[in-house]
Amino acid sequence: MNATLSPLIHLVDDDEGVRSSLALLISTVGLRVQDWADPQRFLREFPRGDIGAIVLDVRMPGVSGLTVLDTLLREGVDQPVIMLTGHGTVDMCRRAFKAGAAEFLEKPVDDEVLLEALQQAVRQHVKSRERLAADRAARERYAQLSEREKEVAGLIVEGLTNKEAGRALALSPRTVETHRANLFAKLQAESLAQLIRRYGTVIDEDQAP
């Protein structure tokens, strides 16, 4: 994995000492770190497309970590967020998880606990982005089908034979077979099981009344 695609941890904390020590700790497991002292600058400049995670202090001057978390949620940012606080309360913890925080840890944070939480968050984020990319590719390939091919796809996913699909569409079985071969080629599917696994949801959404 090249440097531009390797996971990047954004560390947001106004305490320079905390940023330095955590950045050094996180780098020991091979993760890149970008630290931010100003949460408002982080919100303005944070690259939303990165793979990685965010470590966010709760108590900061100007904008609290919970406010930053709420903003990230409203913007649809998908990087997992680990909240850190030296003054945590049950209500604060509840608010953080309600806003989508992946973890809520108290300072001084245990090194192993933080690293495990970060590595798990990064793994989940990578998988999430991979699923999104696969879904986007599937939708782009499905969009290449003709309307008739989409109709045939819907019927064969329902389990109809070529003869039954032909009867439903007033087509000959041979014509259905031709459309079937074309749509399998366009969708790069090698079997009916693969077609259903990759495109079942897309087909259902497209043909929903």
Side-chain angles (χ1 to χ4, degrees):
M1 185 178 291
N2 66 47
T4 58
L5 297 177
S6 63
L8 176 62
I9 306 302
H10 292 278
L11 181 57
V12 189
D13 196 312
D14 63 302
D15 188 319
E16 183 177 358
V18 171
R19 293 200 312 276
S20 296
S21 62
L22 290 184
L24 180 61
L25 172 68
I26 294 167
S27 67
T28 63
V29 293
L31 292 170
R32 297 184 298 138
V33 180
Q34 182 172 359
D35 67 284
W36 305 79
D38 181 350
Q40 292 174 315
R41 182 182 176 194
F42 166 74
L43 286 174
R44 287 196 304 272
E45 301 179 7
F46 158 61
R48 273 62 173 165
D50 282 353
I51 291 288
I54 300 165
V55 178
L56 182 60
D57 186 37
V58 171
R59 182 168 292 184
M60 294 181 287
V63 180
S64 76
L66 289 173
T67 299
V68 174
L69 183 62
D70 287 339
T71 303
L72 296 175
L73 177 66
R74 284 198 306 273
E75 293 182 358
V77 171
D78 66 344
Q79 281 89 338
V81 178
I82 294 174
M83 303 295 294
L84 293 183
T85 182
H87 310 277
T89 64
V90 172
D91 181 63
M92 191 183 292
C93 183
R94 182 186 58 77
R95 283 185 58 193
F97 282 122
K98 188 175 180 180
E103 189 56 88
F104 190 93
L105 302 175
E106 289 195 60
K107 295 178 179 176
V109 64
D110 182 277
D111 292 355
E112 292 301 319
V113 171
L114 176 61
L115 291 178
E116 175 57 31
L118 270 176
Q119 290 174 310
Q120 182 176 349
V122 169
R123 286 194 295 270
Q124 290 176 347
H125 192 222
V126 169
K127 288 180 181 178
S128 172
R129 286 288 179 90
E130 288 175 345
R131 285 195 295 271
L132 286 174
D135 181 69
R136 187 180 306 116
R139 291 177 187 279
E140 289 174 355
R141 284 194 289 269
Y142 182 77
Q144 296 174 7
L145 300 184
S146 68
E147 289 305 312
R148 182 62 85 189
E149 288 165 349
K150 290 178 180 177
E151 289 176 336
V152 172
L155 294 176
I156 61 177
V157 164
E158 289 179 13
L160 273 65
T161 64
N162 289 347
K163 187 176 181 179
E164 292 168 335
R167 191 179 303 121
L169 296 173
L171 299 173
S172 71
R174 183 180 297 274
T175 300
V176 171
E177 178 57 35
T178 300
H179 288 308
R180 180 182 177 125
N182 288 340
L183 73 90
F184 267 75
K186 289 180 181 179
L187 297 181
Q188 301 176 17
E190 297 177 353
S191 66
L192 179 58
Q194 196 176 70
L195 179 76
I196 294 171
R197 185 171 63 251
R198 290 183 181 175
Y199 299 97
T201 300
V202 179
I203 293 170
D204 287 345
E205 290 177 0
D206 180 62
Q207 303 195 8

